[in-house]
Amino acid sequence: MESVRESDNDSLGEMESSVTDPDSEFEAQFESRRQRKRPVPVPSLVPPKRSRRHVPAPPTSSPGPSRGTPGQASPPGPARSGKQAHQGIRAEDIYEAIRSGKSATVTIVDEWIDSYKQDREAGLLVLVNFITQCCGCKGVVTREMFDKMQNAEIISTLTKEFKEESAHYPLNSPGPQWKRFQTGLCQLVRVLVVSCQNSLLYDDYLFNSLLALLTGLSDSQVRAFRHTSTLLAMKLVSAVVEVGVLVSTQLQTCRRRYEAERSKTPQDRATQKLEELQAVIQELVEHREEVTSLINATVRGVFVHRYRDRVPDIRAVCIQELGLWLRSDPENFLNDGYLKYLGWTLYDKQGVVRLQCVRALQALYQERDFLGRLEFFTSRFKERMLTMVFDKEPDVAVEVVNLLLVIQQLNTVVSSEKQSEVISPRVVFFNVLIIFFLQSECHDHGAYLVDSLWGVAGVELRDWETMTSLLLQECEQAQGLSYQEEGALLELMLCTIRQAAQATPPVGRVQGKRVLNMKDKKMQIQDKRRISSHFIPLLPQLLAKYSADVDKVSLLLQVPLYFDLETYSSARRLEKYLDLLLIQVCSIVEKHSDDGVLDACARLASTLCSDTYTFSTRADRTFSQLLDLLAECFNSYCAEVLQGTADEDDVYSASIALKRIAAFSSARDLKGCELFEPCIQLLKSGVESTILEKELMVPALKCVSFQLMWDKVTVLSSTPTKAEVLRLKKALRSFCNVSQRCLTSDQAEIRDQAFVMLCDLLLVYSASSVRSQPTLQALALPPSNPLRSEMAAFLVDYIFTDPQDDPSDEDEEEEEKGKMAALQHKRNLLAGYCKLVIYGVLDLSAATDVFKHYYKYYKDFGDIIKETLSKSRQISPVQSAKTVCLCLQQLFLEVVSTGSSREELSGIRDLAKKLALSFGIDLLRIRKPLVSLHTDGIRFAFRASEEERAQTPNLAFLEILSEFSFKLIRQDRTQLAAFLKAECPTAALHWPPVRMYQRSLEGGSLARPRVEQQEEVLEEGVMADMSRSLPSHTITSMAKRRKTNQQDSPSSTNKGAWLDSSSIHSNLSMPVLTSTVVGGLGGTRPTATASEEEEGSVRSAPPSEDEFSSGLSLIEEDRVESEEEPEIEDFDSSSEPDSGYTLPSTRHTSVGVLEDLFD
C-alpha cells in the first residue's frame, strides 16, 4: 500500500502536463462486446423495461470512425436538413432549464430520450454540446466534427476555442443560482441513469460514448473541462452503482427462485418456469457484467487520476463520491483496494478534502456490519485520525472528534494486548479523553473542552458513576489511573458537574446571557439531583483518598457547591454523609496551609452554614469548634511572639494557625474569637520593629480588615451606641495608619496585601455608604492626603513597572508562567485603585497617575484604564476631560524638569493621540468636554514661570494639545482660535508651537461626510500604534515618589474650582470587594442594607453594579462605543522590542476576566 501511495504522489506534479488518449481505456473492453448477440427479452418476472430501439448494424465498409466504440463505423444515412435537426430538444434548452431550475428534471430527460430514440447520433450530440456549455466553453461540436473526429481531436478543438473571459465557470461561480445549477446538474445525471436502467444503459453506445468523452475531458489541461467532467463522471458512476446493486439483488432473488423450483420433485417441477428463470438469470448476469465494466473503466480512467488532482474541489468530489460507493455497494467496494484512497487523503494539504474524507469515514463507521471490513484500515490509520484532532482547520478537527466518538461508541478501539479483561466502552471513552486532554496541554481550558463535546457526547460526560469508580480504584489495578491522569479526570469531572448544574456554557463561548427554556431547566434540575444523589455518599471517600494532595482536594471541595443541598435533609440516612463531609473538611483544614485549599474550605463552610438550609446549625457548630481550636492555638503563642521570645517553631505554629483563621475571616464573623486586638498589636509591633514576618503580617492584615468589614455589617443591621461608633472609628484609623506604613515594606506580599485591604476598606467605609444614616456618618473614612500620595506612589513603583528577568536557572515555561501570574496580580491591584476613583472615594484627579500609562502599558492594562476612562465620563464628562488634560500637563512638567527632548515629547503626543481616540465620534456629545480640555491646555501653555514672568516654558504643550483638535466642530474651532489670540502674547503668535496649534484648529470641519471623519479617526489610531513607545524609565522608586508629590504640578498651581472641591460624589452602587474570596454559590459577604439598596435603585443616572461589572471588557464596550468610535486600534506588540514574552491581548479580554478584576 505504501509503495502504491509513493508512486501516486510522485506522479502528482505531472498531472496537467500531458493529455492521455481517452478511447484507449474503452477499446479493449468494448471491441469484443460489439459482436455480442443481443440478449434475450426479459420475461414478465422482471419489472417492465423501456422498449429498446433496434438500430441496424452499420456496414463494415463504412470509411468513417464511429463516435461509439473505436473502430465501429457510423451508420449511413441522408444528411439532415436544418429544420429536421432542430425538431428535438436542443443543448441550449437543457442548459437553460437546469440553470433556471424552472423545469422538472424528469421532463427534460424524457424529452431528450425521445429525441435520442429518433436519432441516437443527434441525441448524443445534443448531450455533448450540453456538457460543453456546462464547462463554460463557447465552442460547439458540429455534426461533421462528431462524425469524423475522435474524442481527443474534438477536445483539442474545443480547448483552442475555449475563450476564458474570467477564472469563473458554472461550477465555481459564486452565488446561490450557480449552487442550484450544480445541484440540478447532478440530479440530471442521476435521473438519466435511472430512466435508462432497463434499456439504454445496455445498448453499448450511449453510456460507453458518454463516459469515453468524460474520460477525455477529465485529462484536459483546462480546469473547467476537468472539473465538470469529473463531477459528471463521478455522479454517473454513483447512479450506475445503485443500478448495479439493484441488478445484484434481482439476480439473487431469481437464483433463489430457480433453486427452489429445481429442488422440487420431477412431478411438481415446472419446466417452462425453469427455462424462463434461467433466461432471466442469464440476462441479469450480462447486465451486471456491463455495469461492472462501466464502473471499473470509469474508476481507472477518471477516479485514480483525479483523486490527486491539483484542484482541491476536484479531489473533494472524488472522495465524496467514493464514500457513497463504499456505503452503497460494500460487497464490491468496501475493501482495502478502495479504502486506501481514503487513508491517503487523510494527509491531504487542503482542509476541504480532508473534511470530505472524514465525513465519508463517519458514514462507514456508523454501520455496524462494516466493522470487520474496516478493522485493518482502523489499525493502519488510527494514529493519523488521532493526530487530526489538532487539525489547523476547526471544521476538520470537530468532525474528527465526532468520528472518534462514533468509533468509540461502536467499541472499535481495541484494548491493549496486555489487558486480559474486556474494558467497557465508557472506560475507553474516558481513557481517550484523558490522554487527549493531557497531550493537548490545555489544562486551563477544561471547561471549553467539555463544552465543545457536550452536544455530541453529553451522555458519556454525564457518566459520573464511571468517573468515580476510576478515581476510587488504585493505580496498581488493571484499569487504575496514574497520578497525572487522576488529576486530569478530576478537573474534567468538575467541569462536567458545573456544566450540568449551571446549564450555561463557559465565559466567552456565546454572546450575551443565555436564557434557559423549560426543557433546559427541567434537564438542569434532573442533573443537579443526579449529582447530589451520586456524590453525597462518595464525596467523603474521595476527600479521604486525596486529602493530602493540594490540587486534587481543591477540586473536590468545589463539588458540593453544585449540590441540591436540601438532599441532605430529605432522608435520615444521608445525614451521616453530612457529618462525614464536615469531618473531612475540618481534617483538610488541619492538614493544609495552602491558600487555594483554605479558600475552598472557607467557601464550602460559608455555603453549608447558610440559614437557608435546615442543617446549617450543625455545620455552624462544627466550624465554630474548629475556629475556636485555631484561635486558642494562636493565642497561646501570641504573647511570646509580641515579646520577641518565641523561637522559630512557635512563630511557625502561630503563623499557620493565623493563616487558617484568616481564610475563614472573609466567610464568617469571627468577633467571638476576639482576635482583633492581638492582630492589631502584631501589626503595630511588626511595623515599629521593622522586622516584618510576612507569614504573620499577611494573615493579620486579612483578619483585621475583614473584621472591620463585618463590624460595618453589624452596625448597619442594628442601632449602635455612640461609644461603639467611636470605638469602631478609632479601630479604622489605627488600621489605616498601620496599612499605610506597610505600603513601603520591602516585602511584596505585605505591601500588596495592605494595598488590597486599604482599597476595600475605603470602599466599604466611603462617605456615600453611610450618607443615608446620620448616626453612622462619623464612620466615613475619606483617605488622607498622605495616604493618597502613598497609594499613587505604589502604582508608579510596583504596578507600572516592566517585568524583570529572573537570573535563576528556571525553565523557560515556568518563567513565563511566573510572569503571567505577576501580571494578573498587578491587574488586580490596579483594578482596586480604579474602583476608588470610579466610586468617588478618590478625586478624578487621582486618575492621572493611571491615565499617564495608557499608551505604554496598553498591552497589559489597556482594558482596565479604558474602562476607567469610560466610567469617569459617565460621572462627569467635563471633569473627566480636565483630568485627561491634567495628566498630560503633569507628564509635560516631568519632561521639562528633567530636560525636555523631542523623543520624550513624542511619547507624550502618542499618549495624547490614544486618549483623543477614547472620546468617541459623537462630536456634539463631546463638544463641551473638549472645549474645557482645550481651554485648560491653552491657559497652561501660556502660564508664565514664577521666576520670569515674561517667559512661557510650557509653550510646547500646544503641540500635544493639537492632537485633540480633530474632534472639534467648526464653531468651537473658531472660538478657541479667538481664545488663543487673547491669551497668547503678540510676540508669540509666530512661534512654531502656536502656528502648529492654529493649523490644527483651521483644518477640517463638521460639514465633512461622516465617512471622512471616521477615516481620520482610524488613520490617527494607526499612526498611534506605529509610533515609538515611551522610553524606558531609569528613575529610582524614590525619585518617582518625589515626582508624584511634587508641589509644582498643575494639581497644586492650577487651583480651579473642580480641583478645590472634595471627592466627586459617584452614585454608582457598591462593587464586590477585591479581597473577598467568598462570592456567588451561596456565599455570605458584607452587603448593604435595604435602605441603601432602595436609595441606590432610585438613582437612575449612573449605571448599577451589574452594569458596571458586565461592561468591563473591551468587547462589551465596543457595543456601547459603536456610536463613539469607528474602530479601536489593536496594540502592536512589535512596538515593544524589550518584551521577552507574550501576554494576553487586552483587546479581546473576556467578560469573566474583568469581572474577576473589578468585582
Side-chain angles (χ1 to χ4, degrees):
M1 185 181 297
E2 293 293 339
S3 61
V4 175
R5 181 182 172 189
E6 291 176 1
S7 63
D8 289 343
N9 292 334
D10 292 339
S11 60
L12 182 62
E14 305 173 1
M15 203 181 314
E16 298 193 3
S17 60
S18 62
V19 178
T20 61
D21 184 9
D23 292 340
S24 60
E25 293 286 346
F26 291 88
E27 184 173 0
Q29 300 174 26
F30 301 119
E31 180 63 28
S32 61
R33 196 185 307 145
R34 184 173 60 86
Q35 302 296 334
R36 184 184 298 169
K37 182 173 63 176
R38 303 296 299 175
V40 297
V42 180
S44 59
L45 296 175
V46 181
K49 307 177 182 178
R50 289 183 181 272
S51 59
R52 182 175 299 171
R53 182 175 182 270
H54 297 279
V55 182
T60 56
S61 60
S62 177
S66 170
R67 278 289 306 143
T69 306
Q72 181 178 350
S74 60
R80 295 178 180 270
S81 64
K83 183 176 180 180
Q84 292 175 336
H86 290 81
Q87 285 180 353
I89 189 172
R90 299 180 304 167
E92 294 81 0
D93 299 334
I94 303 177
Y95 179 83
E96 184 61 29
I98 297 299
R99 189 182 65 84
S100 62
K102 296 180 180 179
S103 301
T105 308
V106 177
T107 305
I108 300 172
V109 172
D110 289 342
E111 188 175 351
W112 179 84
I113 289 177
D114 294 339
S115 174
Y116 176 82
K117 289 180 179 179
Q118 296 176 8
D119 189 344
R120 68 176 188 175
E121 285 81 6
L124 184 59
L125 180 61
V126 170
L127 198 59
V128 169
N129 282 318
F130 167 69
I131 294 173
T132 304
Q133 277 189 284
C134 292
C135 297
C137 179
K138 304 291 184 178
V140 178
V141 180
T142 62
R143 182 60 182 266
E144 182 180 0
M145 295 170 56
F146 185 75
D147 291 338
K148 296 183 180 180
M149 290 185 180
Q150 293 286 344
N151 284 336
E153 297 173 343
I154 293 177
I155 295 172
S156 177
T157 303
L158 292 176
T159 302
K160 295 177 181 178
E161 296 178 359
F162 194 95
K163 298 179 180 180
E164 196 170 0
E165 299 177 356
S166 67
H168 294 296
Y169 50 93
L171 287 187
N172 74 341
S173 297
Q177 178 185 4
W178 296 110
K179 290 183 180 180
R180 291 194 298 268
F181 173 81
Q182 181 174 351
T183 303
L185 183 63
C186 298
Q187 185 179 4
L188 176 72
V189 174
R190 187 178 184 280
V191 173
L192 177 63
V193 174
V194 172
S195 301
C196 300
Q197 63 178 337
N198 294 324
S199 56
L200 300 179
L201 184 61
Y202 312 107
D203 69 348
D204 290 342
Y205 178 74
L206 172 61
F207 285 92
N208 296 338
S209 302
L210 180 61
L211 287 175
L213 175 67
L214 294 177
T215 303
L217 288 173
S218 67
D219 279 341
S220 173
Q221 295 181 353
V222 180
R223 174 179 174 176
F225 283 156
R226 211 165 60 250
H227 188 183
T228 308
S229 61
T230 301
L231 175 66
L232 292 174
M234 294 298 98
K235 291 294 181 181
L236 192 145
V237 171
S238 298
V240 172
V241 167
E242 295 180 2
V243 174
V245 172
L246 180 61
V247 171
S248 298
T249 303
Q250 293 176 350
L251 179 60
Q252 292 177 2
T253 303
C254 290
R255 282 178 174 173
R256 285 196 302 268
R257 297 179 61 184
Y258 178 81
E259 294 297 332
E261 187 68 27
R262 198 177 66 169
S263 63
K264 295 180 180 179
T265 60
Q267 295 80 7
D268 299 333
R269 186 182 306 164
T271 307
Q272 183 178 0
K273 187 176 182 179
L274 283 175
E275 292 176 356
E276 292 177 356
L277 288 173
Q278 184 64 32
V280 171
I281 291 174
Q282 181 64 30
E283 184 177 13
L284 289 175
V285 169
E286 293 179 359
H287 287 180
R288 188 177 64 178
E289 290 178 357
E290 292 183 12
V291 168
T292 304
S293 178
L294 284 174
I295 294 172
N296 293 336
T298 309
V299 169
R300 290 195 300 269
V302 180
F303 176 82
V304 297
H305 300 294
R306 300 281 71 80
Y307 90 94
R308 49 195 176 92
D309 195 278
R310 291 182 179 178
V311 180
D313 292 338
I314 298 178
R315 302 200 300 271
V317 166
C318 293
I319 296 303
Q320 182 181 8
E321 298 305 314
L322 175 62
L324 294 177
W325 306 342
L326 295 171
R327 193 167 67 254
S328 301
D329 191 4
E331 295 297 329
N332 295 320
F333 287 96
L334 194 58
N335 52 57
D336 297 338
Y338 287 97
L339 286 173
K340 64 183 180 182
Y341 297 113
L342 290 180
W344 294 342
T345 314
L346 289 173
Y347 296 87
D348 197 281
K349 294 182 179 180
Q350 296 297 324
V352 63
V353 184
R354 297 194 302 273
L355 182 63
Q356 293 298 336
C357 182
V358 173
R359 287 177 176 172
L361 289 174
Q362 286 179 5
L364 294 178
Y365 278 103
Q366 287 174 354
E367 300 292 336
R368 188 174 298 274
D369 297 336
F370 295 169
L371 297 182
R373 299 173 183 264
L374 294 170
E375 184 177 356
F376 178 74
F377 177 86
T378 304
S379 61
R380 172 65 178 81
F381 295 101
K382 178 176 62 177
E383 295 296 331
R384 173 57 183 166
M385 287 188 286
L386 290 175
T387 57
M388 287 181 69
V389 173
F390 307 104
D391 197 283
K392 63 181 181 180
E393 297 292 338
D395 294 339
V396 178
V398 170
E399 294 298 331
V400 170
V401 172
N402 293 334
L403 171 62
L404 295 176
L405 289 173
V406 171
I407 296 174
Q408 178 271 327
Q409 291 172 357
L410 295 178
N411 200 17
T412 56
V413 178
V414 183
S415 60
S416 175
E417 295 180 359
K418 298 181 180 179
Q419 296 179 344
S420 58
E421 60 184 78
V422 179
I423 303 177
S424 66
R426 293 290 172 84
V427 175
V428 175
F429 170 78
F430 285 115
N431 285 332
V432 173
L433 184 62
I434 291 170
I435 292 173
F436 168 73
F437 184 57
L438 292 176
Q439 292 181 354
S440 63
E441 298 181 356
C442 57
H443 309 295
D444 296 335
H445 306 285
Y448 296 91
L449 173 61
V450 169
D451 182 67
S452 63
L453 299 176
W454 198 255
V456 294
V459 178
E460 289 81 359
L461 293 175
R462 289 184 177 92
D463 188 4
W464 296 295
E465 291 81 4
T466 303
M467 295 186 195
T468 51
S469 64
L470 289 173
L471 290 172
L472 290 173
Q473 288 177 352
E474 297 297 334
C475 185
E476 291 78 8
Q477 298 182 14
Q479 301 179 18
L481 302 176
S482 63
Y483 175 82
Q484 192 176 11
E485 290 173 344
E486 286 178 340
L489 181 57
L490 272 173
E491 185 173 350
L492 291 173
M493 183 181 72
L494 179 62
C495 293
T496 59
I497 293 172
R498 184 188 300 114
Q499 183 93 0
Q502 296 181 345
T504 54
V507 175
R509 181 68 79 181
V510 295
Q511 293 183 354
K513 186 177 181 181
R514 180 186 176 188
V515 179
L516 300 179
N517 53 30
M518 294 303 297
K519 182 179 179 181
D520 294 337
K521 290 180 180 179
K522 184 177 179 181
M523 179 65 71
Q524 179 186 11
I525 294 173
Q526 293 177 354
D527 287 340
K528 206 165 186 179
R529 289 176 180 172
R530 276 194 58 211
I531 293 169
S532 304
S533 60
H534 175 70
F535 281 98
I536 282 178
L538 296 179
L539 185 59
Q541 301 179 36
L542 292 171
L543 288 173
K545 179 178 180 180
Y546 298 106
S547 61
D549 192 298
V550 172
D551 297 330
K552 295 184 177 64
V553 79
S554 299
L555 295 172
L556 287 172
L557 288 170
Q558 300 179 45
V559 174
L561 303 178
Y562 304 99
F563 285 176
D564 182 6
L565 292 176
E566 289 295 343
T567 308
Y568 280 112
S569 305
S570 61
R572 184 174 296 275
R573 63 182 181 84
L574 297 178
E575 293 181 357
K576 65 177 181 179
Y577 296 115
L578 175 61
D579 296 333
L580 292 175
L581 176 62
L582 295 175
I583 292 173
Q584 288 297 329
V585 173
C586 293
S587 175
I588 290 170
V589 173
E590 294 173 353
K591 286 181 181 179
H592 290 276
S593 60
D594 181 76
D595 291 334
V597 176
L598 296 177
D599 291 345
C601 291
R603 185 185 294 269
L604 179 57
S606 174
T607 303
L608 295 177
C609 295
S610 176
D611 296 336
T612 57
Y613 305 115
T614 57
F615 57 80
S616 60
T617 305
R618 183 184 307 178
D620 185 77
R621 182 172 60 252
T622 301
F623 289 113
S624 296
Q625 293 174 358
L626 172 65
L627 292 172
D628 289 341
L629 292 175
L630 293 174
E632 183 180 353
C633 177
F634 170 72
N635 290 326
S636 63
Y637 297 106
C638 183
E640 296 180 0
V641 172
L642 291 175
Q643 295 173 3
T645 59
D647 56 12
E648 293 182 0
D649 294 338
D650 294 342
V651 173
Y652 176 78
S653 300
S655 62
I656 292 298
L658 188 59
K659 186 175 184 179
R660 291 167 179 165
I661 295 172
F664 284 85
S665 62
S666 63
R668 296 173 57 85
D669 188 357
L670 303 181
K671 192 171 185 178
C673 297
E674 298 180 352
L675 294 173
F676 183 85
E677 287 299 330
C679 289
I680 200 69
Q681 291 297 327
L682 187 64
L683 291 173
K684 291 180 179 179
S685 175
V687 172
E688 292 173 357
S689 64
T690 67
I691 302 176
L692 305 178
E693 294 286 349
K694 65 179 181 180
E695 291 80 7
L696 285 171
M697 296 288 289
V698 172
L701 285 168
K702 289 183 179 180
C703 287
V704 174
S705 59
F706 282 121
Q707 187 57 57
L708 292 172
M709 296 179 195
W710 283 111
D711 291 341
K712 173 69 178 301
V713 176
T714 303
V715 298
L716 286 175
S717 59
S718 62
T719 305
T721 63
K722 188 174 182 180
E724 291 176 347
V725 173
L726 292 177
R727 190 183 306 111
L728 181 56
K729 182 177 180 180
K730 181 179 179 182
L732 274 173
R733 299 297 187 269
S734 177
F735 177 75
C736 287
N737 292 334
V738 172
S739 299
Q740 181 178 342
R741 297 181 65 179
C742 290
L743 292 179
T744 58
S745 172
D746 295 333
Q747 300 188 40
E749 293 86 350
I750 297 176
R751 63 171 179 260
D752 291 350
Q753 189 63 48
F755 186 84
V756 169
M757 305 318 299
L758 275 173
C759 291
D760 288 345
L761 277 178
L762 291 175
L763 274 176
V764 172
Y765 286 94
S766 62
S768 59
S769 66
V770 295
R771 188 180 303 155
S772 60
Q773 299 187 13
T775 58
L776 301 181
Q777 290 183 1
L779 293 177
L781 184 64
S784 61
N785 290 332
L787 180 58
R788 296 183 187 188
S789 300
E790 288 291 346
M791 296 183 74
F794 183 91
L795 295 180
V796 178
D797 294 340
Y798 304 114
I799 295 181
F800 294 113
T801 56
D802 296 326
Q804 298 179 356
D805 295 332
D806 192 356
S808 60
D809 298 334
E810 267 190 356
D811 186 18
E812 183 177 353
E813 183 178 355
E814 294 296 328
E815 182 181 355
E816 178 130 351
K817 289 182 179 179
K819 291 181 178 180
M820 293 294 295
L823 174 60
Q824 186 63 34
H825 183 62
K826 288 182 178 180
R827 287 170 60 84
N828 289 330
L829 297 175
L830 178 60
Y833 183 85
C834 291
K835 280 191 292 187
L836 297 179
V837 176
I838 293 173
Y839 288 93
V841 179
L842 296 176
D843 296 331
L844 279 183
S845 60
T848 56
D849 296 303
V850 178
F851 297 162
K852 289 177 184 178
H853 306 88
Y854 185 39
Y855 179 77
K856 181 178 180 181
Y857 294 97
Y858 180 80
K859 184 178 180 181
D860 297 341
F861 311 110
D863 52 348
I864 301 175
I865 301 176
K866 186 173 183 180
E867 183 64 24
T868 306
L869 276 167
S870 176
K871 294 302 177 183
S872 66
R873 292 196 187 97
Q874 294 181 19
I875 298 171
S876 177
V878 173
Q879 293 177 359
S880 176
K882 287 176 174 289
T883 304
V884 170
C885 184
L886 176 62
C887 160
L888 298 173
Q889 293 173 17
Q890 290 178 352
L891 280 177
F892 181 81
L893 289 179
E894 291 178 10
V895 172
V896 170
S897 62
T898 57
S900 60
S901 64
R902 298 304 302 176
E903 184 178 0
E904 292 176 331
L905 289 176
S906 175
I908 302 177
R909 290 191 62 182
D910 292 337
L911 173 62
K913 291 177 184 179
K914 205 165 192 65
L915 290 172
L917 290 175
S918 67
F919 279 85
I921 60 175
D922 191 348
L923 303 187
L924 296 178
R925 190 175 71 176
I926 63 174
R927 178 181 180 184
K928 186 176 180 180
L930 275 178
V931 170
S932 300
L933 184 146
H934 279 270
T935 304
D936 285 0
I938 293 172
R939 289 172 179 168
F940 172 78
F942 293 108
R943 191 182 65 196
S945 61
E946 296 181 357
E947 292 80 7
E948 299 183 15
R949 294 289 179 181
Q951 293 185 1
T952 54
N954 304 331
L955 196 61
F957 186 77
L958 291 176
E959 298 182 9
I960 301 171
L961 194 61
S962 63
E963 300 295 339
F964 296 89
S965 299
F966 73 99
K967 296 282 187 179
L968 295 168
I969 63 175
R970 178 185 298 174
Q971 295 89 330
D972 295 339
R973 292 171 187 264
T974 305
Q975 294 178 5
L976 286 174
F979 181 75
L980 176 68
K981 292 181 180 179
E983 292 287 328
C984 178
T986 306
L989 284 175
H990 300 286
W991 291 355
V994 179
R995 293 296 303 160
M996 179 180 181
Y997 183 67
Q998 287 179 334
R999 287 194 300 270
S1000 69
L1001 294 178
E1002 294 170 358
S1005 66
L1006 185 61
R1008 293 179 301 165
R1010 186 178 183 87
V1011 176
E1012 295 181 9
Q1013 297 177 8
Q1014 292 179 350
E1015 289 178 355
E1016 180 178 356
V1017 175
L1018 181 60
E1019 182 180 359
E1020 294 290 340
V1022 174
M1023 292 176 59
D1025 275 348
M1026 295 177 60
S1027 302
R1028 296 188 300 273
S1029 61
L1030 285 173
S1032 58
H1033 294 285
T1034 58
I1035 308 174
T1036 61
S1037 297
M1038 294 304 296
K1040 286 187 281 187
R1041 288 178 181 273
R1042 287 197 298 269
K1043 288 182 180 181
T1044 305
N1045 300 328
Q1046 61 185 351
Q1047 299 299 322
D1048 58 346
S1049 66
S1051 61
S1052 59
T1053 57
N1054 189 9
K1055 297 295 184 179
W1058 70 288
L1059 290 177
D1060 293 335
S1061 63
S1062 61
S1063 175
I1064 296 174
H1065 300 294
S1066 171
N1067 290 329
L1068 296 175
S1069 57
M1070 180 64 64
V1072 180
L1073 303 180
T1074 306
S1075 58
T1076 305
V1077 298
V1078 180
L1081 299 175
T1084 304
R1085 62 179 131 191
T1087 56
T1089 61
S1091 60
E1092 286 190 16
E1093 294 177 356
E1094 183 179 358
E1095 180 186 357
S1097 64
V1098 176
R1099 303 163 183 159
S1100 58
S1104 65
E1105 173 191 347
D1106 293 336
E1107 294 172 336
F1108 171 66
S1109 60
S1110 64
L1112 294 181
S1113 78
L1114 292 182
I1115 298 174
E1116 291 294 323
E1117 188 179 9
D1118 288 345
R1119 176 177 59 81
V1120 180
E1121 290 196 9
S1122 60
E1123 303 176 355
E1124 299 179 3
E1125 293 189 49
E1127 183 174 345
I1128 300 176
E1129 70 280 10
D1130 289 334
F1131 185 84
D1132 188 5
S1133 58
S1134 61
S1135 64
E1136 289 195 355
D1138 298 335
S1139 178
Y1141 62 100
T1142 304
L1143 294 174
S1145 172
T1146 57
R1147 179 67 181 85
H1148 303 288
T1149 305
S1150 65
V1151 180
V1153 175
L1154 286 169
E1155 285 181 350
D1156 293 340
L1157 288 175
F1158 276 78
D1159 285 354

